[in-house]
Amino acid sequence: MSLSTIRLSGLRARGTHGVLDFEHTAPQDFVVDVALRLDITRAIATDDVAHTINYAEVADAVVAVIEGEHADLIETLAGRIAARVLDFGAAGVEVTVHKPHAPIPHEFADVAVTLERWAGDQIGGPAGERTSGAQRAVVGIGSNLDDPAGHVRSAVRELGGLGVVVASSLYRTAPRLAQEQAEQPDYVNAVALLDTHLQPLELLDRLQSIEAKHGRVRSERWGARTLDLDIITYADLELDTARLTLPHPRAAERRFVLEPWASLDPGATLAGRRVADLLLDVADQRVEPLGG
């Protein structure tokens, strides 16, 4: 394999990263350079974007990380960006994060950190391992309106700013309808495992913000939707509030949650039972892998 480099330079977005108190709340500019190492031999031969990495999608993911969870250090921010970019299939990545307005009481041109990572050395590790200091959350993703697969893939990228460890393949599923409810299109579903420093209700707020960006309208219970993001579990927490119940009270009855979850973490448990065993109880529900 002969590795080539795709460079994305000078990507600018605003985020709240820094050690000082005001930097936790006051957004400032960050500029990021990304160099992706990958084999583009097939892309050259076929002229097909499927055989390379879409740099527009990489840019979206980088901006989501910058605009996402606070980091005290730009070293941490660079690490999160590198881990997210490697999810696109690059063999390696070099990330430089510039902080042009760093609070330094002297005249300066730039402050920057450069970090290089290779596939297999991703922050967060395998699905069964948890990033230090973070809590593992399981998030269900679904859509059945306006290019459902596109909404789900985009949501996975946006979740990168919250600490995505790994996301499942996509599944086409039959809608779960209430009695006498009108027919709906099939859903596209996936599950993501996150390591997050957000508290459960903070995570819920961030997920609902992503839903809103995708035009989610809550006009009918179990109605069709452009995007649905559900917290299935958050560590071992049990919670019952008006806004959030954990674990998700209906997850054990939903094959479209259990199957992608089990594919990511075969040893996962829900309410004391192995997810793989719970799947046996819902084998009659229509769930078809789409891949991707």
Side-chain angles (χ1 to χ4, degrees):
M1 178 175 67
S2 178
L3 294 181
S4 301
T5 301
I6 295 177
R7 296 188 184 276
L8 178 61
S9 300
L11 183 63
R12 185 179 297 268
R14 292 176 66 78
T16 53
H17 307 290
V19 175
L20 300 181
D21 288 345
F22 80 88
E23 295 182 298
H24 288 238
T25 56
Q28 61 181 295
D29 286 340
F30 292 85
V31 181
V32 173
D33 305 322
V34 179
L36 298 92
R37 320 292 190 194
L38 68 159
D39 184 358
I40 60 173
T41 304
R42 292 185 68 192
I44 293 170
T46 63
D47 196 29
D48 186 346
V49 70
H51 297 145
T52 185
I53 294 177
N54 187 323
Y55 44 78
E57 294 182 352
V58 172
D60 288 342
V62 172
V63 168
V65 176
I66 297 171
E67 294 178 345
E69 180 186 354
H70 168 84
D72 279 351
L73 305 178
I74 58 174
E75 291 91 333
T76 302
L77 184 61
R80 291 175 183 170
I81 291 170
R84 183 65 190 93
V85 172
L86 284 172
D87 287 341
F88 286 88
V93 62
E94 181 183 280
V95 174
T96 299
V97 175
H98 305 263
K99 190 175 182 179
H101 304 300
I104 298 174
H106 305 284
E107 185 174 347
F108 69 99
D110 191 20
V111 173
V113 167
T114 298
L115 177 148
E116 185 174 22
R117 290 195 181 276
W118 293 90
D121 187 32
Q122 297 186 40
I123 295 173
E129 298 178 6
R130 182 167 57 84
T131 301
S132 177
Q135 298 295 331
R136 171 61 54 85
V138 178
V139 175
I141 310 168
S143 172
N144 72 336
L145 291 177
D146 305 331
D147 184 18
H151 281 297
V152 172
R153 292 190 179 101
S154 178
V156 170
R157 292 194 296 270
E158 292 171 79
L159 287 172
L162 308 182
V164 168
V165 175
V166 64
S168 73
S169 298
L170 306 188
Y171 293 77
R172 185 186 306 281
T173 71
R176 301 293 304 278
L177 303 175
Q179 189 174 2
E180 299 183 358
Q181 188 174 6
E183 292 295 318
Q184 294 180 22
D186 283 352
Y187 277 81
V188 173
N189 290 98
V191 163
L193 306 184
L194 284 76
D195 284 348
T196 182
H197 294 276
L198 297 173
Q199 294 300 307
L201 292 178
E202 293 174 324
L203 177 59
L204 179 63
D205 287 340
R206 297 288 286 272
L207 296 183
Q208 290 183 346
S209 176
I210 293 172
E211 289 178 337
K213 290 180 182 178
H214 286 255
R216 170 71 185 271
V217 177
R218 288 175 168 79
S219 59
E220 177 188 7
R221 191 180 188 192
W222 296 326
R225 69 286 306 268
T226 53
L227 183 63
D228 189 28
L229 299 172
D230 287 327
I231 305 175
I232 308 302
T233 62
Y234 181 98
D236 296 323
L237 182 65
E238 295 183 6
L239 184 69
D240 188 4
T241 72
R243 293 193 63 204
L244 181 63
T245 300
L246 294 172
H248 192 287
R250 291 173 295 280
E253 305 166 5
R254 295 176 171 179
R255 184 179 170 190
F256 63 80
V257 170
L258 301 175
E259 189 157 330
W261 185 4
S263 75
L264 293 175
D265 188 0
T269 60
L270 175 63
R273 292 187 62 189
R274 293 180 69 247
V275 170
D277 294 335
L278 290 170
L279 268 170
L280 300 176
D281 299 334
V282 293
D284 60 325
Q285 296 177 14
R286 179 165 62 82
V287 174
E288 304 163 358
L290 289 178

